[in-house]
């Protein structure tokens, strides 16, 4: 997990509906729902700028601070994107404690180039940009670095070197990336008919 869990100010929402959510976003707020630990689901609003900043920097866990002084540690469970798929318009958050075991998606960062990919006509194909990791909330990593320098033709989930406390929730044979060969197709030139009559 990141060295410091981001703390966001949360405001309880009394009104619901898409029109009200649209007004919130226009005012720089991001609507969210808070679930978990036997409590009634709560509709809240967060600073859009601060929330997106935390998400872009790999935060999976957030500390929420409410106006009445109450606090919650939450896990980002789901993001809802807008029509074009390029902006977050809603979050689902779940209350957790730091020792709770959860399964989260963690992004992979690739370094190094496999020898097999240096051959003429070879390309490196990334099939899996993130993996499901099972671990305690306190151990959730921002990212997992994958060194491809010594891989062969394929790199699978089973090849990941995970630190203590992390366990893959994906099948070990799942391919993360592979080296493919590009086959050049020979395009035969169409024969030119000489002496053919042309219609006027």
């Amino acid at each position: 997990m990141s060295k410091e869990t981001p703390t966001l100010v949360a405001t309880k929402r009394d009104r619901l509906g898409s029109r009200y959510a649209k007004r919130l976003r226009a005012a720089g707020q991001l609507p969210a729902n808070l679930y978990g630990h036997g409590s009634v689901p709560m509709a809240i609003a967060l600073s859009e700028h601060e929330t997106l900043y935390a998400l872009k920097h790999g935060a999976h866990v957030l500390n929420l601070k409410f106006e009445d002084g109450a606090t919650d540690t939450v896990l980002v469970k789901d993001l809802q994107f807008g029509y074009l798929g390029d902006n977050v318009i809603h979050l689902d958050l779940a209350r957790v404690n730091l020792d709770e075991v959860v399964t989260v998606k963690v992004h992979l960062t690739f370094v190094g180039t496999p020898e097999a990919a240096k051959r003429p006509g070879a390309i490196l194909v990334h099939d899996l940009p993130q993996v499901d990791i099972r671990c305690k909330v306190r151990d959730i990593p921002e990212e997992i670095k994958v060194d491809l320098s010594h891989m062969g033709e394929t790199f699978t989930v089973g090849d990941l070197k995970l630190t203590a406390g992390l366990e893959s929730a994906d099948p070990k044979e799942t391919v993360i990336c592979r080296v493919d060969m590009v086959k050049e197709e020979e395009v035969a030139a169409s024969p030119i008919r000489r002496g053919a009559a042309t219609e006027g």
Side-chain angles (χ1 to χ4, degrees):
M1 193 162 62
S2 58
K3 295 181 180 179
E4 184 176 351
T5 303
T7 298
L8 304 179
V9 175
T11 304
K12 296 180 181 179
R13 290 189 286 139
D14 296 325
R15 299 174 61 185
L16 303 175
S18 58
R19 293 181 63 183
Y20 180 61
K22 187 175 181 180
R23 292 178 185 176
L24 279 176
R25 291 191 291 270
Q29 296 290 301
L30 196 59
N33 286 333
L34 179 58
Y35 304 92
H37 285 188
S39 300
V40 177
M42 181 189 302
I44 62 174
L46 306 169
S47 165
E48 181 179 35
H49 174 75
E50 293 180 3
T51 304
L52 294 183
Y53 180 85
L55 295 176
K56 289 179 180 178
H57 286 76
H60 292 83
V61 180
L62 305 170
N63 287 327
L64 300 186
K65 184 176 181 180
F66 293 87
E67 295 174 332
D68 60 3
T71 59
D72 263 318
T73 300
V74 301
L75 179 69
V76 179
K77 294 292 290 184
D78 189 42
L79 302 177
Q80 181 181 342
F81 292 86
Y83 177 73
L84 298 177
D86 58 352
N87 62 318
V88 177
I89 62 172
H90 188 275
L91 288 85
D92 280 341
L93 308 171
R95 295 181 179 90
V96 291
N97 64 64
L98 295 181
D99 290 318
E100 186 174 342
V101 177
V102 296
T103 300
V104 295
K105 290 187 179 296
V106 180
H107 286 279
L108 302 175
T109 299
F110 299 95
V111 297
T113 303
E115 288 298 322
K118 298 178 181 179
R119 297 174 297 180
I123 57 171
L124 183 61
V125 180
H126 296 280
D127 293 305
L128 204 63
Q130 57 187 8
V131 292
D132 288 327
I133 295 295
R134 187 181 298 109
C135 63
K136 291 183 178 180
V137 171
R138 67 172 69 253
D139 294 329
I140 297 175
E142 292 184 10
E143 63 180 10
I144 295 176
K145 289 188 177 181
V146 181
D147 187 357
L148 302 178
S149 302
H150 304 291
M151 73 167 273
E153 299 291 333
T154 61
F155 190 96
T156 67
V157 168
D159 295 322
L160 287 173
K161 294 182 179 179
L162 301 175
T163 57
L166 303 186
E167 177 186 352
S168 172
D170 292 314
K172 292 185 178 181
E173 64 273 14
T174 303
V175 175
I176 292 177
C177 57
R178 54 193 163 82
V179 176
D180 274 357
M181 298 299 295
V182 177
K183 296 181 179 179
E184 296 183 3
E185 296 182 359
E186 295 182 1
V187 180
S190 300
I192 300 176
R193 295 177 59 193
R194 293 188 180 184
T198 57
E199 297 183 0

